[in-house]
Amino acid sequence: RLGRISRRAARWVRGRVSLEVDGQSVEAAERAMTAVGQAARRRAPAARVLFVDYLPVAGSHERAGVPAPRLPLTPGELGQVTRTAELLSRAFATAAERSGSELIRVSAAGLDHGPLSPDPWITGYEGSLLRRGAAVPYHPTLAGMTAVARLIVEHLREPGPAQPAS
């Protein structure tokens, strides 16, 4: 019975959630991120402002197109997820560049760590959110957040870009 409820819940969510964002939404997010980066740089000119993009839901293992219970997407849906991730990654890069901020590309670092990899940095679909202890689908794992934290620390250990003269 719980499996049937879970499948119905997944169909309900799937019918209301788009796997692909439209260009206007990405442009709006890019403009908002740029504004935040610029405001931070104005308020704290000596600070290092960092943008950290998203871990990919579909990495190298998932893009092979092998259907799996932990990633129940059709090839078309997998393509949408991949395109959305690429659009968002470009939006982060553009916002960082336009605002004079730095970018940490966890999207690239996480490509070999999707939900179907031997060392996942992001959860897959566990079958039911109603099951006690079930992971939230497509969210970072402890290993993933630890890796992101390490990437940030490594980045900060490097000298920052030269600050413009005041």
Side-chain angles (χ1 to χ4, degrees), residues 40-49 102 161 163-164 166:
R41 305 257 319 129
R42 274 193 310 277
R43 291 181 180 155
R48 292 180 70 181
V49 179
E102 299 171 58
Q163 299 296 320
S166 303

Side-chain angles (χ1 to χ4, degrees), residues 30-129:
E30 181 184 295
R31 284 190 306 273
M33 288 188 291
T34 299
V36 167
Q38 290 169 336
R41 305 257 319 129
R42 274 193 310 277
R43 291 181 180 155
R48 292 180 70 181
V49 179
L50 307 178
F51 281 97
V52 181
D53 68 1
Y54 290 106
L55 287 171
V57 169
S60 55
H61 292 86
E62 294 74 25
R63 291 179 188 184
V66 179
R70 297 199 69 214
L71 194 73
L73 301 174
T74 67
E77 291 169 335
L78 187 60
Q80 289 176 324
V81 167
T82 300
R83 283 188 299 280
T84 296
E86 289 166 355
L87 287 171
L88 289 171
S89 181
R90 281 198 298 269
F92 271 89
T94 300
E97 183 180 337
R98 288 183 178 165
S99 66
S101 302
E102 299 171 58
L103 176 64
I104 300 175
R105 293 180 186 270
V106 299
S107 58
L111 280 176
D112 289 334
H113 299 281
L116 303 182
S117 77
D119 181 25
W121 289 359
I122 191 162
T123 61
Y125 179 71
E126 299 293 332
S128 175
L129 291 177

